[in-house]
Amino acid sequence: MKDSAVAAEQKRPAQRTTGDLTRAAVSGWLGTAMEFMDFQLYSLAAAIVFNKIFFPDVSPAIGLIAAMATYGVGYVARLAGAVYFGRMGDRIGRKRVLYLTVLMMGASTTLIGALPTYTTIGILAPILLVLLRLVQGFGAGAEIAGATVLLVEYAPVRRRGLVASLVSLGTNSGTLAASGLWAILLAVLTEEQLLSWGWRLPFLLSFGLMFFAVWLRRGLKESPVFEERPDVVDGVALARDEVESAIADADRGAADVLAAGIRQRKGKAFFVALGLRFGQAGNSGLIQTFLIGYIATELAVGRSVPTDAIVYGSLLGFATVPVVGLLGDRFGRRVLYLALSLLTVVIAFPVMFLISSGSTPAVMIGMVLGLNVGVLGLFSLESVTMAELFGSRTRFTQLALAKEIGGILATAIGPVLAATLTALTGSWWPIAAMLVVYSLITFVSAFLAPETRGRDLVRLEDAI
């Protein structure tokens, strides 16, 4: 039995240099960039070409729905990955999990680019596509949660929002890289070239990014918060029965610290985090996935316009994300959540009116505005706030589950629902209504949430 040396006061603070923080920051940014590049490559391909390559024997509308459905199945696998790798990350540390997740994501994405098409092997082609999508999702299910936890636990208290926003910049970088690649392909290739071989290039090129990310994470040090946890001995978290024994043997102060983490009733922080996630995830699925295909197929706009808009929006996001992170450090998380979610509600119908006009400048303005306010701004806050809500003993698991359940309920189902509703109504208003509903859920959750800025992340219990 491991003894009561797990007591909080007997733990020495883990020391990390500026170089360690820099490596952790780059690692978190790069891994998240890779995750979102992989998923954005897939989502754009699903919206632009996969309905023709893997589902050619159905109508364009049904093909788009089927392609979006294959996009959605990855989120089911993400949930399984969140459970499996999240528990592993809380048990044996953050860095080992992050090494595995980036390897799984990169390998599956590269193999998608080597798949035969429907015309070559028939129904086996979409089956293999779904299988690789499941592997990709299983690894990605813990990647962004792990990167978020790692950066938040590395960051200085007064700069957590800014440092954690690098995760959001990673998503922005990945989105930009994927959208930029597709914008180039759409600009320089003919339809025939794109469908025959051009669509493979972005997936195959992702191998280089995977190789660099794996190399970088080999030398990454463990999170200092994980090492300082009072329930961690020799790099492994004690099981519940071991903690109970340690509580019985420890003095009152140490016993109270340990008991707070394992005897608190869980649930409140998780559901608040889930609501905070809902707005960003749902808005992202609509703006960054569904609208790409909708604009290209339904509005008679040039096929490169929506991808160009995502590129411009992502570029602006390099200012939006750190500014929101800094404001969160200055004024707190809660007030900014309330402001951004309410602003998204206000602009939802005007944004969709601009996009539905079919005018290229209006489409650009609407997409850029919606992306930065309703997706990237909220994501910058989400990176730090959700991590601060949870105690260190279950932070990785709860954060991963909140992100992935929110993804399944909003991001994965949203594009399919939007495709169905717009097909039934022949109008854009259901998309705007969905943006409003998603953002109101986040607004209510932020209203119910405590302010988490400056919280001690070594504490084992949740914030509420």
Side-chain angles (χ1 to χ4, degrees), residues 89-144:
D90 283 325
R91 176 74 170 164
I92 65 172
R94 322 314 191 188
K95 70 170 187 176
R96 300 180 193 178
V97 169
L98 289 172
Y99 182 82
L100 293 174
T101 56
V102 76
L103 188 61
M104 291 182 67
M105 289 189 308
S108 57
T109 300
T110 301
L111 288 174
I112 287 175
L115 278 178
T117 63
Y118 187 92
T119 56
T120 304
I121 60 172
I123 192 64
L124 189 58
I127 291 175
L128 291 174
L129 178 66
V130 170
L131 288 175
L132 286 176
R133 176 68 172 161
L134 289 172
V135 174
Q136 184 190 58
F138 189 72
E143 169 61 36
I144 193 167

Side-chain angles (χ1 to χ4, degrees), residues 65-326:
I65 293 174
M68 289 299 170
T70 63
Y71 170 77
V73 299
Y75 283 88
V76 178
R78 288 176 72 108
L79 180 58
V83 174
Y84 181 79
F85 288 119
R87 295 182 67 181
M88 183 187 294
D90 283 325
R91 176 74 170 164
I92 65 172
R94 322 314 191 188
K95 70 170 187 176
R96 300 180 193 178
V97 169
L98 289 172
Y99 182 82
L100 293 174
T101 56
V102 76
L103 188 61
M104 291 182 67
M105 289 189 308
S108 57
T109 300
T110 301
L111 288 174
I112 287 175
L115 278 178
T117 63
Y118 187 92
T119 56
T120 304
I121 60 172
I123 192 64
L124 189 58
I127 291 175
L128 291 174
L129 178 66
V130 170
L131 288 175
L132 286 176
R133 176 68 172 161
L134 289 172
V135 174
Q136 184 190 58
F138 189 72
E143 169 61 36
I144 193 167
T148 298
V149 168
L150 188 74
L151 282 187
V152 170
E153 291 183 346
Y154 253 92
V157 175
R158 297 182 62 184
R159 287 292 177 263
R160 275 187 199 148
L162 177 61
V163 174
S165 73
L166 291 175
V167 174
S168 303
L169 282 182
T171 69
N172 203 35
S173 302
T175 299
L176 177 62
S179 300
L181 284 171
W182 272 105
I184 292 172
L185 292 176
L186 291 171
V188 304
L189 298 182
T190 65
E191 182 81 5
E192 181 181 357
Q193 290 172 328
L194 187 67
L195 294 176
S196 63
W197 55 268
W199 68 272
R200 299 181 184 276
L201 295 179
F203 295 97
L204 296 175
L205 290 173
S206 69
F207 177 81
L209 185 61
M210 178 199 71
F211 182 83
F212 179 64
V214 168
W215 171 81
L216 186 66
R217 287 189 175 177
R218 285 179 61 89
L220 187 65
K221 290 184 179 179
E222 184 53 77
S223 153
V225 168
F226 180 83
E227 292 185 351
E228 292 174 29
R229 274 172 49 183
D231 65 331
V232 169
V233 175
D234 298 328
V236 179
L238 300 180
R240 185 182 180 90
D241 59 339
E242 293 175 317
V243 177
E244 292 284 5
S245 296
I247 291 172
D249 296 336
D251 60 45
R252 181 166 182 174
D256 288 344
V257 169
L258 291 167
I262 68 168
R263 295 175 182 172
Q264 180 192 38
R265 293 185 63 181
K266 302 292 184 183
K268 291 182 180 179
F270 178 81
F271 285 108
V272 167
L274 186 62
L276 295 177
R277 167 70 167 156
F278 216 86
Q280 185 276 331
N283 295 344
S284 176
L286 293 176
I287 294 171
Q288 294 180 263
T289 301
F290 174 73
L291 282 178
I292 303 295
Y294 179 80
I295 292 169
T297 60
E298 301 294 332
L299 300 183
V301 176
R303 62 181 185 173
S304 65
V305 171
T307 52
D308 288 345
I310 293 295
V311 170
Y312 298 143
S314 297
L315 287 171
L316 181 59
F318 281 100
T320 300
V321 167
V323 167
V324 171
L326 284 169

Side-chain angles (χ1 to χ4, degrees), residues 6-27:
V6 297
E9 62 268 27
Q10 294 177 341
K11 285 277 187 177
R12 294 183 178 181
Q15 300 298 318
R16 294 291 182 269
T17 66
T18 301
D20 293 331
L21 175 60
T22 300
R23 191 178 188 96
V26 174
S27 171

